[in-house]
Amino acid sequence: MSGPAPPVAATRRAVRAALADLEPGAVVLVACSGGADSLALAAAAAFESRRAWWRVGAVVVDHDLQADSSSIAAGVAATLSRLGLVPIEVVRVVVDLDSAVGPEAAARVARYAAIDEVADRCAAEAVLLGHTLDDQAETVLLGLARGSGARSLAGMRPRTGLLRRPLLTLDRATTERACAAQGLTPWVDPHNADETYARVRVRRSALPALESALGPGVAEALARTAELLRDDADALDAWSATARRDATADDGGLDCASLLTLPSAVRRRVLHTAALESGATHSALSHPHVMALDALVVDWHGQGSVALPGGVEGWRGCGRLYLRVAGEPSSNAERTTQA
């Protein structure tokens, strides 16, 4: 008897490898939009669950951004039910379209919050996401266009907490063929053709142009770059965490003399992390903000405080760098503008 079609086999192998550490009876959820990627993932997870005795269910997030969104979500849930997934939860979310981070990011925040809530309620040990190699390449290219650092260019991790991305080594065409081979009809999100979104422009125009100019394999090369940079970024992050502990004084200030001994890549990671943990807005904290903090360490000439997004300010006093929400009572020594 012949085996499954190669694309189907590839998705099943990917799921099997991603969940190899789970014991029988473990609860796994598939986040499924009904698109080819997540639908192929759901089918593979359902098949593998029968071999490994996992309990595989799904969460379908209805972003309520289209007039027929509820019927689309119901249709996706019906397809997942036919595949044998249990339980299947459809969750409608409210997306803040006026959010400062933009509609794509706002939808993502709402989606992940819903997924986290369902996963917690179901005591899930893993949540599978349908991101593919193409998604990884798009993420890296968008990071390059923004001038992002190594952490952003490292792309999406195969595993972050409960979240697992089994399909990062498979391209989108493989998931489409896997669906076709199994008689599954994916839902095509009209937003995926809306070029007002940067990711859609990258997908439909930028990547094809690069392939045309440089030859095939650009997406694979970008995904490989992400993997290599991820290892470097992880090492630098670990170094910066140790350096920050060593530089932190009893009053919470960072010793500037200690920071000056660090390579710039490590020192700026320390400052970036310290700013975020002090309350700076993640989506708005940019390279110029970090460089302004860095100048308080490496180019100190009595300058004033640095304003950061989220109402946080940084200043130097008595040879230390302090970060506080503006107006918050300070426990450190009297603020000065002299080292």
Side-chain angles (χ1 to χ4, degrees):
M1 186 173 70
S2 62
V8 176
T11 59
R12 291 175 180 176
R13 283 195 301 271
V15 167
R16 195 181 314 144
L19 300 179
D21 61 309
L22 297 187
E23 297 293 331
V27 177
V28 178
L29 292 176
V30 181
C32 188
S33 67
D37 301 338
S38 60
L39 194 55
L41 178 62
F47 178 85
E48 291 298 322
S49 71
R50 294 190 286 272
R51 301 174 48 161
W53 296 96
W54 302 314
R55 296 172 54 207
V56 175
V59 53
V60 180
V61 178
D62 174 6
H63 296 86
D64 196 23
L65 296 176
Q66 298 169 238
D68 57 349
S69 64
S70 59
S71 61
I72 292 169
V76 173
T79 298
L80 296 173
S81 180
R82 288 192 293 272
L83 288 171
L85 278 70
V86 178
I88 299 167
E89 298 221 12
V90 177
V91 183
R92 174 172 284 196
V93 298
V94 176
V95 178
D96 181 6
L97 296 178
D98 296 323
S99 170
V101 300
E104 287 178 283
R108 184 167 56 249
V109 169
R111 178 167 60 253
Y112 280 106
I115 291 170
D116 286 345
E117 191 276 329
V118 175
D120 183 64
R121 182 153 36 80
C122 294
E125 295 185 39
V127 175
L128 304 185
L129 304 177
H131 297 116
T132 65
L133 181 148
D134 297 274
D135 294 309
Q136 187 77 294
E138 292 159 11
T139 298
V140 174
L141 204 53
L142 286 166
L144 283 169
R146 289 192 297 264
S148 301
R151 172 53 66 200
S152 179
L153 298 183
M156 296 174 284
R157 292 180 180 274
R159 183 172 175 176
T160 306
L162 285 180
L163 304 179
R164 305 190 187 193
R165 298 177 173 88
L167 306 183
L168 282 180
T169 59
L170 304 180
D171 62 17
R172 191 170 293 125
T174 297
T175 65
E176 291 170 349
R177 290 195 295 268
C179 286
Q182 297 172 94
L184 299 172
T185 303
W187 172 63
V188 179
D189 186 347
H191 288 118
N192 289 337
D194 185 351
E195 296 201 7
T196 59
Y197 297 107
R199 183 174 289 272
V200 175
R201 295 195 298 275
V202 167
R203 181 177 304 164
R204 292 165 64 93
S205 301
L207 273 172
L210 286 172
E211 294 271 0
S212 176
L214 302 176
V218 170
E220 290 83 354
L222 288 169
R224 185 166 61 251
T225 297
E227 184 176 357
L228 294 171
L229 281 173
R230 194 177 308 122
D231 291 339
D232 294 346
D234 286 347
L236 288 169
D237 285 349
W239 186 354
S240 70
T242 300
R244 184 184 174 198
R245 286 195 298 270
D246 293 342
T248 301
D250 291 341
D251 64 359
L254 294 170
D255 181 68
C256 292
S258 178
L259 294 177
L260 274 171
T261 67
L262 300 171
S264 60
V266 178
R267 183 178 62 251
R268 290 167 189 165
R269 273 174 164 75
V270 170
L271 298 176
H272 185 268
T273 301
L276 291 177
E277 293 187 1
S278 297
T281 306
H282 189 283
S283 60
L285 185 66
S286 65
H287 180 66
H289 292 125
V290 177
M291 292 302 293
L293 288 176
D294 197 45
L296 294 177
V297 179
V298 303
D299 187 27
W300 173 244
H301 50 269
Q303 62 265 46
S305 62
V306 173
L308 303 175
V312 174
E313 64 175 346
W315 72 91
R316 177 166 170 160
C318 301
R320 292 175 183 168
L321 182 69
Y322 297 97
L323 290 153
R324 296 282 191 280
V325 174
E328 182 179 278
S330 177
S331 61
N332 56 287
E334 182 181 356
R335 285 176 53 176
T336 73
T337 56
Q338 297 292 325

